[in-house]
Amino acid sequence: NMTRDMGWRLHIVGRRIERLDNLAVRLATFLRIHVDTAEPLNRELATEALLELCDSIITYRTRYRAQPALLPAMHLLCLDHTNPHALGFQVRMISNYLSHVDDHGAALNLAPLRDAYHNLRDFPWVALESHVGDDTRNAACLSLADCLDDLARAGRGVSDLLAMRFFTYTGRAAHATFTA
């Protein structure tokens, strides 16, 4: 029921930043655990559980019509701009809403967020293919986890910029005491 003003936009941006941070950290953790899991059946079940956790299992099954596999699952959760539970969607929405906030003042520096997302987008995704050797795939998983950590940090950086710009109080707050 909020009016669609700057306060509402900042509220939505805050929610998107939280989702971006949560999802990026969750995916990075999953990839690091995935490297330590030796059995393919456990990996498949873990990938399906990740998709369930990210509320994207129905989207995955609709698009791929196959058992969950690492490459398509990670691609869906990282880069899909149409999946509201994907990192790509969160980055797009953050940029979109902040472009409207910038109409009211100096531009925010979103370059670190965009750069981190471009690094994720430019990641060599084929290294996660099932036919690639285990050593190559494990190294790719760890590298992708690092990219996801960078994206989460960049999202937190945007949060810090917003806090400094819109929520910094310079004066001493007055304290009122009410007694009955």
Side-chain angles (χ1 to χ4, degrees):
N1 291 337
M2 281 181 75
T3 306
R4 302 305 196 248
D5 61 1
M6 189 166 18
W8 180 79
R9 287 186 184 106
L10 289 173
H11 169 73
I12 295 298
V13 167
R15 288 178 59 194
R16 298 292 175 196
I17 290 171
E18 284 181 354
R19 287 181 183 179
L20 177 111
D21 184 51
N22 185 315
L23 182 57
V25 169
R26 185 183 304 158
L27 293 175
T29 302
F30 173 83
L31 288 167
R32 289 185 176 103
I33 292 170
H34 186 80
V35 167
D36 294 334
T37 304
E39 295 184 32
L41 179 60
N42 290 342
R43 286 181 171 183
E44 186 178 297
L45 291 173
T47 303
E48 185 171 1
L50 177 70
L51 289 164
E52 281 283 353
L53 182 67
C54 295
D55 201 19
S56 293
I57 190 71
I58 293 171
T59 305
Y60 182 91
R61 288 183 177 150
T62 302
R63 290 196 185 158
Y64 299 104
R65 299 186 189 275
Q67 289 298 319
L70 182 63
L71 175 59
M74 294 306 293
H75 200 268
L76 173 71
L77 295 171
C78 290
L79 301 180
D80 193 330
H81 291 275
T82 62
N83 179 4
H85 304 286
L87 293 170
F89 185 88
Q90 305 311 319
V91 171
R92 183 171 60 98
M93 296 308 288
I94 290 167
S95 296
N96 183 29
Y97 281 105
L98 288 180
S99 70
H100 295 296
V101 170
D102 283 344
D103 292 342
H104 301 284
L108 292 167
N109 182 12
L110 297 180
L113 179 65
R114 289 185 183 124
D115 290 346
Y117 183 69
H118 286 275
N119 289 342
L120 183 65
R121 197 181 65 204
D122 294 340
F123 182 79
W125 292 93
V126 294
L128 298 178
E129 294 255 358
S130 58
H131 70 286
V132 174
D134 283 344
D135 292 339
T136 302
R137 188 172 47 252
N138 289 344
C141 284
L142 295 175
S143 178
L144 181 56
D146 291 341
C147 286
L148 291 164
D149 288 338
D150 291 343
L151 184 63
R153 257 189 306 280
R156 289 189 295 272
V158 171
S159 176
D160 292 344
L161 287 173
L162 289 170
M164 287 188 300
R165 179 160 169 205
F166 293 104
F167 302 109
T168 300
Y169 302 100
T170 57
R172 183 175 177 184
H175 293 112
T177 303
F178 297 98
T179 58

